[in-house]
Structure formats: structure tokens, C-alpha cells
Amino acid sequence: MARLYQHKWLLIRLPVLGLAMFAASWLWLFVYPMPSSTISLTTASQEGAYFRHAQRYVELFAAHGITLKVQTSAGSQQNLERLRQKEQPSDLAFMQGGFGYLGASLDRRDRSRVETLANVDVEAVWLFTRNRDMDALQQLQGLRVAVGPEGSGTRKVALKLLEQARINTRDMALSPLRDSAAVHAMRQGQMDVVFMVATADSTAVQSMLSVPGIQLVSLRKSAAITERNPYLELQLLAQGSLDTHIPPRDITLLTTSASLVAREALHPALKRLAVAVAMEAHNGGGLFHKAGDFPSLRRIDFPTAPQARQTMAHGLPWLESVMPFWWAQVTARVLLIVLPVLLLAYWLMHLIPSYLRWTLKSRVNRWYGELKFIENDLSQEVLSGLDLTRFLQQLNAIDNSLLAFACPKDLMARCYMLHQHIEFVRQRLYRMRGR
């Protein structure tokens, strides 16, 4: 212990400092890691609203030092699969309503793997046809119907509605066409009906409305459809709301929400930032909603991320609101990891040597106490030769222990005085034996 105290810088303080650096590094890397500087967002086709939203997201994330990679896809079904895949999953995705709780299609074991960050827009279920009198799904039998490609949300909704209407898909010719390809097919007369799930400002919807002879269907018993499908709602498309004469009459449309979702394992700071970006990108109004309605967490289709409610209610944490994103992350880790670990290391670097010094000083004091007992015993009037021999042996034992003691510099004067005192008592014993 004395040698340990003598080399306290090499044997105590440097190891404590090294251990502190290791602990801080481990906590920084594994317990509270920094968020990634690159994340991915999967959308749909380049002609859809999801892709346009993604381009806006790229700019907003870049302003915070985050690189957003945009991935196109067949639609919401493929987006969901990308979020759930184990190898190189997507971080964020735009999802059409009906793929989670509200659509009763979310597998129980997968419910915790995808989280809702915000509902960001309203999409309508558009049904275009050349038949002016069409108002029911049963009238689609025997027609050529474009329902979108495999993996698209449009196809999922269309097939679900046809199934609920008890229409056998073998009684019609289904086509995977969508967007501009579907519009071109309708212009050429190669398609009779087209399903689309899109926003009102979608290029494909606007193009379809401009095709001569194309009618927008207002389905009968729409309220019953919404009862069977909680992710669908009824919205009134007023006469002339799209253009002067489009639509030519009031039409009731089925609508669903578009949401921004994230995989559960995404870094919490990136989830907060994604919600903040959504609040900036989707705060305007639209055909089916007012300014300020979005983003929201009403009628969510997946479990809500805790960071979403926190950010929407209170905004970003103070550090992230007053500092650039990366500096805020570094500052938070310095305050929560580096500073406490360094303070603990500083305390240990002083506490351990202080404890060792106190222990060594107590040992010297114990020898002083033993020497004092010997002096007190020597003051007795009657002492035999055996008593004097025993006292001399005790003195020699104390002296030998003192000689083997690696005395620290700050106790050297005290040890020297003890040695002198022992020698003084030893000489006294020799004189008493001589008498």
C-alpha cells in the first residue's frame, strides 16, 4: 500500500483516467450513440405526391446536416416490407392508410417494428371511367380495370373493395398500370376503369380529369364502405373545386390518410428531427384539409413513436432548438457522459490516494500508540528482567516494521521521529537492565 501511494500517479491516477476514457467511449458508442448522418426514405413512383414530398424533405434534412436518400418503390406495401426487412432496412417511409391497425392487416408480431411519426396528407380513392352512369362497384364486371402494380397501396384498396362487394376478380381484366401509363391507356381506349389513390394535386389525377369523356365515379353506399374500412373517410368534392367545371357536380369521395412512419430502431434524435421536418413541410392547406390540420396523430395506423407526441406537443428539446443538430447531439453527450465520468474520475483520483495516506498515517499512529503503552509500563515501580526483555522485543518488532515500511515523502519526518523515539526508549531499557 505504501509503494502504491508512492507511485500514485503511475499506479492510481493514470489507470483511473484511462478507465474513465474507456467508460466514456463505451457509453458514447454503445449506450448513447450519435445518430447516423445518412438516412433513407422510401416513397412511391416519381410521379406521385410522396416523391414530391421527399424532395422537400431532402432540402430540410440537409439544412440540419443529414443526408436523405430517396428510394422509389411500387407503393406502400413495398415500403412496409422495406421497413421490416432485417438487412439494410429503410429508415423512413410514406404509407397509405389501411396497412396497420385501421386496415386490420397488421400482424401482431410486427406491431412494434414500425412506428407512426405523423399523418401528413389526405389521399382520395379516385375511380375514373368512361361510363357516365357508373355508381357501383358491381358495374365493373367484365371491364378492363387498372388497379396498380403489386406492392402498391392502390392495388390493396381496390382489391379490398372488390372483395367486399363480392366481385370475383376473374370476372374482369385487371391491369397493373398506374399514373401516366394508366392515363395513356385511357386516352387510347385500352382501359375502361382506373383506380387511383392519390392527392388532388397529383399529376396523374390532373391528367386524367383533362381526358375528354372521362367521368369521376361517386359510389353509392359509400358510408357503408367506411363502416367496413375504418381507415377510409367520406369527403365532399364540391362542384368546380378542381377547375371551373371540374367536377361538374358535387361528388362524394372516399379518402384515407398518408402518414410518415419509421422503423422502431431508428435513432430517437432522428425521429424527433423527422417530425420537426414534417411539421415544416406539411403545415399548409389542401383540397381536403385546412392549413394547420397536418401533421397530426389522429386515426393513426401504426403505434405512435414517443418522440412524435413529445415533439408535436412541446417542440424539439432545448439544445436541438437553439443549436445546430450535430452540435446539439455532441453537447448532450458531453453533458450526460463526458462531464459526469470526468468528475467521477477526478474524485477517485483524489479519494484513493487520500484513503491510502490516511491508512498509512493510521499505521504510523498505531506504532506510536504501542510505543506509548511501553513507556507507560516502564513507569511501574517493580519490573522484572523478563518484563524488560519482553518490552525490548516489542520495540524491536516495531522498529523492524518501521524499517520495512516504504515511507511516503510526506510521512518521512513523522517516521524519522518515531524511529528516534524508539531508540530513546531502547536506550532507557538498556539502562534499566544494567541496574
Side-chain angles (χ1 to χ4, degrees), residues 164-183:
Q164 292 174 351
R166 299 182 179 179
I167 300 175
N168 194 331
T169 54
R170 290 177 295 182
D171 295 336
M172 61 184 70
L174 297 183
S175 169
L177 295 179
R178 69 172 178 186
D179 298 335
S180 58
V183 175

Side-chain angles (χ1 to χ4, degrees), residues 47 128 178-180 183 196 198 201-209:
E47 300 180 35
F128 297 102
R178 69 172 178 186
D179 298 335
S180 58
V183 175
M196 287 187 183
D201 59 350
S202 168
T203 303
V205 171
Q206 296 294 326
S207 299
M208 192 69 77
L209 291 171

